[in-house]
Short mmCIF file of all heavy atoms in Angstrom, two decimals:
data_model
loop_
_atom_site.label_atom_id
_atom_site.label_comp_id
_atom_site.label_asym_id
_atom_site.label_seq_id
_atom_site.Cartn_x
_atom_site.Cartn_y
_atom_site.Cartn_z
N CYS V 1 79.00 101.60 112.58
CA CYS V 1 80.43 101.49 112.72
C CYS V 1 81.12 102.03 111.47
O CYS V 1 82.11 102.76 111.57
CB CYS V 1 80.87 100.05 112.95
SG CYS V 1 80.22 99.33 114.47
N GLU V 2 80.58 101.67 110.31
CA GLU V 2 81.13 102.15 109.05
C GLU V 2 81.10 103.64 108.95
O GLU V 2 82.03 104.30 108.55
CB GLU V 2 80.41 101.51 107.86
CG GLU V 2 80.69 100.03 107.69
CD GLU V 2 79.92 99.42 106.59
OE1 GLU V 2 79.35 100.15 105.72
OE2 GLU V 2 79.86 98.17 106.54
N LYS V 3 79.94 104.22 109.37
CA LYS V 3 79.77 105.67 109.31
C LYS V 3 80.79 106.41 110.17
O LYS V 3 81.39 107.38 109.74
CB LYS V 3 78.38 106.05 109.72
CG LYS V 3 78.09 107.51 109.68
CD LYS V 3 76.70 107.85 110.15
CE LYS V 3 76.47 109.35 110.18
NZ LYS V 3 75.19 109.74 110.69
N HIS V 4 80.98 105.94 111.39
CA HIS V 4 81.88 106.63 112.32
C HIS V 4 83.33 106.36 112.08
O HIS V 4 84.19 107.18 112.46
CB HIS V 4 81.47 106.27 113.75
CG HIS V 4 80.15 106.86 114.15
ND1 HIS V 4 79.97 108.19 114.38
CD2 HIS V 4 78.96 106.28 114.33
CE1 HIS V 4 78.70 108.42 114.67
NE2 HIS V 4 78.05 107.25 114.65
N SER V 5 83.67 105.22 111.47
CA SER V 5 85.08 104.91 111.30
C SER V 5 85.53 105.11 109.85
O SER V 5 86.74 105.17 109.58
CB SER V 5 85.35 103.45 111.66
OG SER V 5 84.72 102.58 110.74
N SER V 6 84.60 105.14 108.91
CA SER V 6 84.86 105.25 107.47
C SER V 6 85.52 103.97 106.93
O SER V 6 86.15 103.99 105.88
CB SER V 6 85.75 106.46 107.16
OG SER V 6 85.12 107.64 107.57
N TYR V 7 85.41 102.85 107.65
CA TYR V 7 85.91 101.56 107.18
C TYR V 7 84.75 100.59 107.00
O TYR V 7 83.89 100.51 107.85
CB TYR V 7 86.90 100.94 108.17
CG TYR V 7 88.20 101.67 108.28
CD1 TYR V 7 88.50 102.46 109.37
CD2 TYR V 7 89.15 101.61 107.25
CE1 TYR V 7 89.69 103.16 109.48
CE2 TYR V 7 90.33 102.28 107.36
CZ TYR V 7 90.61 103.05 108.47
OH TYR V 7 91.77 103.68 108.57
N VAL V 8 84.81 99.83 105.90
CA VAL V 8 83.84 98.77 105.71
C VAL V 8 84.47 97.48 106.22
O VAL V 8 85.69 97.41 106.41
CB VAL V 8 83.40 98.62 104.25
CG1 VAL V 8 82.62 99.85 103.79
CG2 VAL V 8 84.55 98.34 103.33
N LYS V 9 83.69 96.47 106.45
CA LYS V 9 84.15 95.22 107.01
C LYS V 9 85.30 94.61 106.23
O LYS V 9 86.30 94.15 106.80
CB LYS V 9 82.99 94.21 107.07
CG LYS V 9 83.27 92.97 107.83
CD LYS V 9 82.09 92.03 107.63
CE LYS V 9 81.59 91.48 108.90
NZ LYS V 9 80.45 90.53 108.74
N ASP V 10 85.24 94.65 104.91
CA ASP V 10 86.30 94.08 104.08
C ASP V 10 87.64 94.79 104.31
O ASP V 10 88.69 94.17 104.24
CB ASP V 10 85.91 94.15 102.62
CG ASP V 10 84.77 93.23 102.26
OD1 ASP V 10 84.55 92.24 103.01
OD2 ASP V 10 84.11 93.49 101.25
N GLN V 11 87.58 96.09 104.53
CA GLN V 11 88.82 96.85 104.75
C GLN V 11 89.48 96.45 106.06
O GLN V 11 90.69 96.51 106.18
CB GLN V 11 88.54 98.34 104.74
CG GLN V 11 88.19 98.86 103.38
CD GLN V 11 87.76 100.32 103.45
OE1 GLN V 11 86.96 100.70 104.30
NE2 GLN V 11 88.30 101.14 102.54
N LEU V 12 88.70 96.04 107.05
CA LEU V 12 89.26 95.62 108.32
C LEU V 12 90.10 94.38 108.20
O LEU V 12 91.01 94.14 108.98
CB LEU V 12 88.15 95.39 109.36
CG LEU V 12 87.35 96.59 109.77
CD1 LEU V 12 86.30 96.17 110.74
CD2 LEU V 12 88.26 97.63 110.39
N TRP V 13 89.83 93.55 107.20
CA TRP V 13 90.58 92.30 107.03
C TRP V 13 91.93 92.50 106.36
O TRP V 13 92.80 91.63 106.42
CB TRP V 13 89.74 91.31 106.21
CG TRP V 13 88.80 90.57 107.08
CD1 TRP V 13 87.47 90.77 107.18
CD2 TRP V 13 89.12 89.57 108.04
NE1 TRP V 13 86.92 89.93 108.09
CE2 TRP V 13 87.93 89.18 108.65
CE3 TRP V 13 90.29 88.96 108.42
CZ2 TRP V 13 87.89 88.21 109.66
CZ3 TRP V 13 90.25 87.98 109.40
CH2 TRP V 13 89.06 87.62 110.00
N GLU V 14 92.14 93.64 105.73
CA GLU V 14 93.41 93.88 105.04
C GLU V 14 94.59 93.85 106.01
O GLU V 14 95.64 93.28 105.68
CB GLU V 14 93.36 95.21 104.30
CG GLU V 14 92.46 95.18 103.09
CD GLU V 14 92.77 94.08 102.11
OE1 GLU V 14 93.96 93.92 101.73
OE2 GLU V 14 91.86 93.36 101.74
N CYS V 15 94.48 94.46 107.15
CA CYS V 15 95.59 94.52 108.12
C CYS V 15 96.03 93.12 108.59
O CYS V 15 97.20 92.78 108.49
CB CYS V 15 95.23 95.41 109.28
SG CYS V 15 96.58 95.60 110.46
N PRO V 16 95.12 92.27 109.10
CA PRO V 16 95.56 90.95 109.53
C PRO V 16 96.10 90.10 108.39
O PRO V 16 97.07 89.35 108.56
CB PRO V 16 94.34 90.28 110.14
CG PRO V 16 93.22 91.24 110.02
CD PRO V 16 93.73 92.51 109.45
N LYS V 17 95.53 90.26 107.19
CA LYS V 17 96.03 89.51 106.05
C LYS V 17 97.48 89.91 105.76
O LYS V 17 98.34 89.06 105.52
CB LYS V 17 95.20 89.81 104.78
CG LYS V 17 93.88 89.10 104.74
CD LYS V 17 93.24 89.45 103.41
CE LYS V 17 91.75 89.14 103.40
NZ LYS V 17 91.15 89.56 102.15
N LEU V 18 97.75 91.21 105.75
CA LEU V 18 99.12 91.70 105.48
C LEU V 18 100.06 91.26 106.61
O LEU V 18 101.21 90.84 106.30
CB LEU V 18 99.14 93.23 105.38
CG LEU V 18 98.53 93.78 104.11
CD1 LEU V 18 98.43 95.30 104.18
CD2 LEU V 18 99.35 93.38 102.90
N MET V 19 99.65 91.37 107.85
CA MET V 19 100.52 90.97 108.95
C MET V 19 100.91 89.49 108.84
O MET V 19 102.12 89.16 109.00
CB MET V 19 99.81 91.20 110.29
CG MET V 19 99.71 92.64 110.69
SD MET V 19 98.79 93.03 112.17
CE MET V 19 98.74 91.58 113.11
N VAL V 20 99.97 88.65 108.57
CA VAL V 20 100.27 87.20 108.46
C VAL V 20 101.17 86.95 107.24
O VAL V 20 102.15 86.21 107.35
CB VAL V 20 98.96 86.37 108.36
CG1 VAL V 20 99.25 84.92 108.02
CG2 VAL V 20 98.19 86.46 109.66
N SER V 21 100.88 87.56 106.11
CA SER V 21 101.71 87.29 104.94
C SER V 21 103.12 87.82 105.11
O SER V 21 104.08 87.13 104.72
CB SER V 21 101.08 87.88 103.68
OG SER V 21 101.12 89.27 103.68
N PHE V 22 103.28 88.97 105.74
CA PHE V 22 104.64 89.50 106.00
C PHE V 22 105.38 88.55 106.96
O PHE V 22 106.57 88.29 106.76
CB PHE V 22 104.59 90.88 106.58
CG PHE V 22 104.19 91.96 105.62
CD1 PHE V 22 103.55 93.09 106.05
CD2 PHE V 22 104.43 91.83 104.26
CE1 PHE V 22 103.14 94.08 105.19
CE2 PHE V 22 104.03 92.82 103.35
CZ PHE V 22 103.39 93.98 103.83
N HIS V 23 104.69 88.08 107.96
CA HIS V 23 105.33 87.18 108.94
C HIS V 23 105.74 85.87 108.27
O HIS V 23 106.85 85.35 108.52
CB HIS V 23 104.36 86.91 110.10
CG HIS V 23 105.06 86.30 111.28
ND1 HIS V 23 104.41 86.20 112.48
CD2 HIS V 23 106.24 85.72 111.48
CE1 HIS V 23 105.22 85.62 113.37
NE2 HIS V 23 106.33 85.29 112.75
N GLN V 24 104.91 85.33 107.42
CA GLN V 24 105.22 84.09 106.72
C GLN V 24 106.40 84.23 105.78
O GLN V 24 107.19 83.29 105.60
CB GLN V 24 104.00 83.60 105.91
CG GLN V 24 102.89 83.12 106.75
CD GLN V 24 101.60 82.83 105.96
OE1 GLN V 24 101.37 83.42 104.91
NE2 GLN V 24 100.76 81.94 106.47
N LYS V 25 106.57 85.39 105.15
CA LYS V 25 107.63 85.62 104.18
C LYS V 25 108.87 86.31 104.76
O LYS V 25 109.84 86.53 104.01
CB LYS V 25 107.10 86.50 103.05
CG LYS V 25 105.95 85.87 102.30
CD LYS V 25 105.35 86.85 101.32
CE LYS V 25 104.11 86.28 100.68
NZ LYS V 25 103.42 87.27 99.85
N ALA V 26 108.89 86.58 106.05
CA ALA V 26 109.96 87.38 106.65
C ALA V 26 111.34 86.73 106.56
O ALA V 26 112.34 87.42 106.47
CB ALA V 26 109.63 87.70 108.10
N ALA V 27 111.43 85.43 106.59
CA ALA V 27 112.76 84.78 106.58
C ALA V 27 113.38 84.75 105.19
O ALA V 27 114.58 84.45 105.10
CB ALA V 27 112.61 83.36 107.12
N VAL V 28 112.64 85.06 104.19
CA VAL V 28 113.18 85.03 102.83
C VAL V 28 112.88 86.34 102.12
O VAL V 28 112.03 87.12 102.54
CB VAL V 28 112.58 83.86 101.99
CG1 VAL V 28 112.99 82.54 102.57
CG2 VAL V 28 111.09 83.97 101.91
N GLY V 29 113.58 86.58 101.04
CA GLY V 29 113.29 87.78 100.25
C GLY V 29 113.82 89.06 100.85
O GLY V 29 114.88 89.10 101.47
N LYS V 30 113.05 90.13 100.72
CA LYS V 30 113.48 91.46 101.11
C LYS V 30 113.36 91.73 102.61
O LYS V 30 113.82 92.76 103.08
CB LYS V 30 112.68 92.50 100.35
CG LYS V 30 112.90 92.46 98.86
CD LYS V 30 112.08 93.51 98.15
CE LYS V 30 112.30 93.43 96.67
NZ LYS V 30 111.50 94.43 95.95
N LEU V 31 112.72 90.84 103.35
CA LEU V 31 112.46 91.09 104.78
C LEU V 31 113.44 90.37 105.70
O LEU V 31 113.20 90.27 106.89
CB LEU V 31 111.04 90.70 105.13
CG LEU V 31 109.95 91.50 104.40
CD1 LEU V 31 108.58 90.91 104.73
CD2 LEU V 31 110.01 92.94 104.73
N THR V 32 114.57 89.91 105.19
CA THR V 32 115.48 89.12 106.03
C THR V 32 116.09 89.98 107.15
O THR V 32 116.33 89.47 108.26
CB THR V 32 116.65 88.51 105.22
OG1 THR V 32 117.29 89.54 104.48
CG2 THR V 32 116.10 87.44 104.28
N GLY V 33 116.31 91.27 106.89
CA GLY V 33 116.83 92.13 107.94
C GLY V 33 115.85 92.31 109.08
O GLY V 33 116.23 92.29 110.26
N VAL V 34 114.59 92.46 108.73
CA VAL V 34 113.55 92.56 109.74
C VAL V 34 113.45 91.27 110.53
O VAL V 34 113.34 91.25 111.76
CB VAL V 34 112.19 92.91 109.10
CG1 VAL V 34 111.06 92.88 110.11
CG2 VAL V 34 112.25 94.24 108.41
#
């Protein structure tokens, strides 16, 4: 999978981590418009 996608397992976790953190912080700070 790593060879064909060029992603290692740790890199796959970055997206869900970012999605959750953005969602948690969306009501405050710079993301209030979103």
Side-chain angles (χ1 to χ4, degrees):
C1 298
E2 289 177 16
K3 179 181 176 183
H4 291 288
S5 69
S6 300
Y7 290 107
V8 295
K9 189 187 229 182
D10 292 337
Q11 290 174 314
L12 294 179
W13 276 105
E14 290 304 311
C15 183
K17 284 183 196 176
L18 287 172
M19 287 176 21
V20 171
S21 71
F22 289 151
H23 194 168
Q24 289 171 334
K25 298 173 186 173
V28 296
K30 297 179 180 180
L31 298 174
T32 55
V34 174

